[in-house]
Every structure is written in structure tokens, then in C-alpha cells.
């Protein structure tokens, strides 16, 4: 899960350069946008699940990202899937 990765990366580097948007619907649109703005302003890494990518695709696309690393490529194999559409 993304939370384990974020915790591990932050504890190993002794800084908080890794942020995560929870894949649950517990955050408001404004809260998720604040996380994205924080990462863009402060620098670092944003970890998002495929579900989060699909939910926040408009918020994420409104920013320029230097890199996008997609893990578990089988989730975007189907070019008709929502995950593929969000990732591309």
C-alpha cells in the first residue's frame, strides 16, 4: 500500500519529502488540492494509487510533473480502462 511506502521513504530519509493522497474518499477536493500544491511548492514525491489517479485526474493534470512512475503496469494494459485514461 502507498502508506507503507510513504512511511518507509520518510523514515529512511529523515525528512518529509514524500506525500500521499489517501485512496479513500475521506478527503475533500480542497484537502487533496492542498496536498498537491504543497508537493509542487516544496518539491518531493507524490504517491497516488490508481484509484486516486482516476479520482484526482483533473487536479493532477492541472500541474506539470517532471516524472510519472507507474507501478503494476497490468492495471493500465487495457487502453479502454479508466485507469489507463487517467494515467495517459
Amino acid at each position: 500500500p502507498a502508506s507503507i511506502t510513504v512511511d518507509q521513504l520518510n523514515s529512511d530519509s529523515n525528512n518529509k519529502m514524500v506525500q500521499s493522497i489517501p485512496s479513500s474518499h475521506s478527503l475533500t477536493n480542497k484537502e487533496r488540492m492542498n496536498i498537491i500544491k504543497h508537493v509542487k511548492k516544496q518539491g518531493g514525491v507524490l504517491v497516488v494509487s490508481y484509484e486516486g489517479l482516476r479520482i484526482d485526474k483533473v487536479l493532477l493534470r492541472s500541474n506539470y510533473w517532471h516524472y510519472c512512475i507507474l507501478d503494476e503496469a497490468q492495471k493500465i494494459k487495457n487502453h479502454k480502462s479508466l485507469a489507463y485514461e487517467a494515467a495517459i
Side-chain angles (χ1 to χ4, degrees):
S3 61
I4 292 173
T5 304
V6 170
D7 291 343
Q8 289 173 338
L9 289 171
N10 280 331
S11 68
D12 290 344
S13 62
N14 289 327
N15 63 43
K16 300 294 180 195
M17 292 196 59
V18 179
Q19 296 288 320
S20 175
I21 298 179
S23 60
S24 69
H25 300 281
S26 61
L27 297 178
T28 66
N29 192 39
K30 184 177 180 180
E31 290 170 324
R32 292 192 309 273
M33 185 56 157
N34 286 339
I35 292 171
I36 294 168
K37 283 182 179 179
H38 175 78
V39 170
K40 291 302 291 181
K41 183 178 179 182
Q42 301 296 321
V45 175
L46 179 66
V47 178
V48 181
S49 68
Y50 280 100
E51 177 188 6
L53 181 64
R54 198 178 73 247
I55 292 168
D56 293 323
K57 72 179 180 181
V58 173
L59 294 174
L60 293 166
R61 285 184 177 176
S62 66
N63 292 278
Y64 173 78
W65 301 95
H66 291 279
Y67 299 97
C68 177
I69 301 169
L70 302 174
D71 193 14
E72 301 181 12
Q74 74 274 11
K75 294 190 178 198
I76 59 165
K77 275 186 177 180
N78 181 354
H79 68 280
K80 295 179 183 178
S81 72
L82 295 174
Y84 177 90
E85 181 185 318
I88 301 302

